[in-house]
Amino acid sequence: MMEAHPEMELYIGMDVDPSALEIGQNRIEAFLASRETDGGDDEDALQGTLCAYTHAKNFKYIKHVLGSVDENIAVGTSGVDGILIDLGMSSMQVNRSDRGFSVLQDGPLDMRMDPKATLKAEDILNSWPDLEVGRILRDYGEESNWHSLQKRIVKARAMGGLHSTGELVKLIQRTCTGSGGRQGWIKTATRVFQALRIAVNDELRTLEDALHACFDCLATDGRLAVISFHSLEDRIVKQTFLELIHGDEADDDEDLASADIGSEDEPWFKQRVRGKNGTVLTKRPISPSEEEEELNQRCRSAKLRVIQKT
């Protein structure tokens, strides 16, 4: 973004994962240093034109973060021009077995995005009420076999409980015997791990809070873009965007029917939805192209939605 927008004056990066934050800080520092070195005749013009900050915070705390940088941009006075929220996990997190996100690597049943948080997946599996465990698998994992999995998880408690991702995967494999082979249990395990990760990090409620907070911090004509990776996230982004532009008058069916053709200057969106507080620029989410998927298979489920404030 910094390379694409040399006019940028302020950049703020936020992430709850300290490892991701450290990588981001190093890249930003390297970019600013290279820009300073390569400035040439324009070096004086580049100096001081971009201030960059990073914060170990979730986007729902964006007002506090902006206020700590400049209280004038925190709420309403001036606001920011653009916000990008990239949801989900990164390859870095999945590839580290000690984080507990990987179905294929044995590790602790952790799954915390923020290592300072207290709740772990192990706590949910071994001590939360039976019905709540089933609800998580059903609602957050959209897993049709949730009841059988719930019973096996509860039964495992009497035998010492579940304490590693490998033990959980073996339980899932036993539950999925004869249903689709390796691909069958991997798909089920992926849904179960997703459900637990969402519950551990309270991701869906946090997402809704973050969207409202970010929209409040936008300047007039400012845009909020969100990349989601599964249907639960995308559904919340879609509905919350409609609520934000229409306020209490939001109605999903009526809003979609009022969509009109998008701007010729920006062909990346085909239709938009207007409201009194703003415009949803993506009636239908933008998905990766075939070329993108060839370069990065993990992007195939990504969906981008964008809203603009009035």
Side-chain angles (χ1 to χ4, degrees):
M1 287 189 287
M2 291 178 182
E3 290 174 348
H5 295 279
E7 77 281 7
M8 187 185 297
E9 298 178 1
L10 174 66
Y11 174 89
I12 298 175
M14 300 170 62
D15 204 301
V16 295
D17 187 331
S19 298
L21 197 70
E22 182 180 359
I23 293 173
Q25 288 171 331
N26 291 337
R27 289 181 176 173
I28 290 169
E29 290 170 3
F31 172 77
L32 294 178
S34 67
R35 211 171 78 154
E36 181 178 331
T37 303
D38 298 337
D41 295 337
D42 296 328
E43 185 171 350
D44 291 339
L46 291 172
Q47 290 290 334
T49 59
L50 174 60
C51 295
Y53 304 87
T54 55
H55 290 263
K57 290 286 187 180
N58 186 282
F59 273 93
K60 71 178 182 178
Y61 300 115
I62 190 170
K63 293 180 183 178
H64 172 75
V65 170
L66 290 176
S68 69
V69 174
D70 184 344
E71 61 182 16
N72 291 322
I73 64 174
V75 182
T77 307
S78 58
V80 296
D81 296 315
I83 301 173
L84 169 64
I85 302 179
D86 184 359
L87 302 171
M89 298 180 296
S90 69
S91 299
M92 172 197 69
Q93 292 165 323
V94 176
N95 293 338
R96 284 185 52 181
S97 60
D98 62 309
R99 300 297 298 273
F101 293 117
S102 176
V103 171
L104 300 177
Q105 299 183 63
D106 191 21
L109 280 166
D110 194 316
M111 303 193 191
R112 292 173 297 173
M113 291 291 190
D114 179 1
K116 294 181 181 179
T118 56
L119 180 64
K120 301 179 183 179
E122 182 177 4
D123 302 324
I124 294 175
L125 291 168
N126 294 319
S127 61
W128 278 28
D130 307 2
L131 294 178
E132 186 65 7
V133 172
R135 184 193 68 81
I136 289 170
L137 298 176
R138 182 189 68 233
D139 295 350
Y140 296 164
E142 298 180 297
E143 170 54 44
S144 60
N145 204 21
W146 65 270
H147 194 256
S148 295
L149 287 165
Q150 173 197 315
K151 290 195 294 184
R152 284 184 178 269
I153 289 169
V154 172
K155 186 177 180 180
R157 295 176 180 178
M159 303 175 67
L162 297 166
H163 304 286
S164 72
T165 56
E167 291 175 352
L168 177 58
V169 166
K170 288 179 181 177
L171 181 148
I172 294 169
Q173 289 173 328
R174 291 194 298 269
T175 308
C176 296
T177 301
S179 58
R182 185 174 188 270
Q183 288 303 313
W185 73 256
I186 286 182
K187 289 179 180 178
T188 298
T190 300
R191 290 191 288 266
V192 170
F193 275 56
Q194 171 186 295
L196 290 169
R197 191 198 78 224
I198 289 173
V200 167
N201 299 285
D202 196 16
E203 292 181 15
L204 301 185
R205 184 169 60 180
T206 298
L207 171 58
E208 189 170 350
D209 292 343
L211 294 175
H212 282 274
C214 287
F215 190 76
D216 286 345
C217 294
L218 289 176
T220 300
D221 295 328
R223 292 178 175 180
L224 167 61
V226 184
I227 303 174
S228 62
F229 289 87
H230 59 76
S231 60
L232 296 176
E233 290 175 340
D234 182 59
R235 196 177 303 139
I236 288 175
V237 176
K238 172 187 173 183
Q239 185 58 44
T240 304
F241 275 11
L242 291 174
E243 292 171 359
L244 287 169
I245 65 169
H246 289 288
D248 296 334
E249 300 173 5
D251 184 301
D252 197 9
D253 294 333
E254 292 181 7
D255 293 331
L256 291 179
S258 69
D260 57 16
I261 301 300
S263 168
E264 293 182 0
D265 297 330
E266 295 183 282
W268 52 271
F269 65 89
K270 304 300 182 184
Q271 290 181 302
R272 56 190 174 187
V273 184
R274 293 184 183 276
K276 63 180 181 180
N277 301 320
T279 302
V280 175
L281 301 179
T282 48
K283 177 189 174 185
R284 298 286 182 265
I286 300 172
S287 301
S289 64
E290 291 182 5
E291 291 78 11
E292 284 182 284
E293 289 191 29
E294 288 179 2
L295 293 171
N296 176 20
Q297 289 188 347
R298 285 181 172 170
C299 82
R300 64 185 180 276
S301 60
K303 289 183 171 58
L304 171 66
R305 293 185 185 270
V306 186
I307 188 173
Q308 180 170 304
K309 192 171 186 177
T310 299

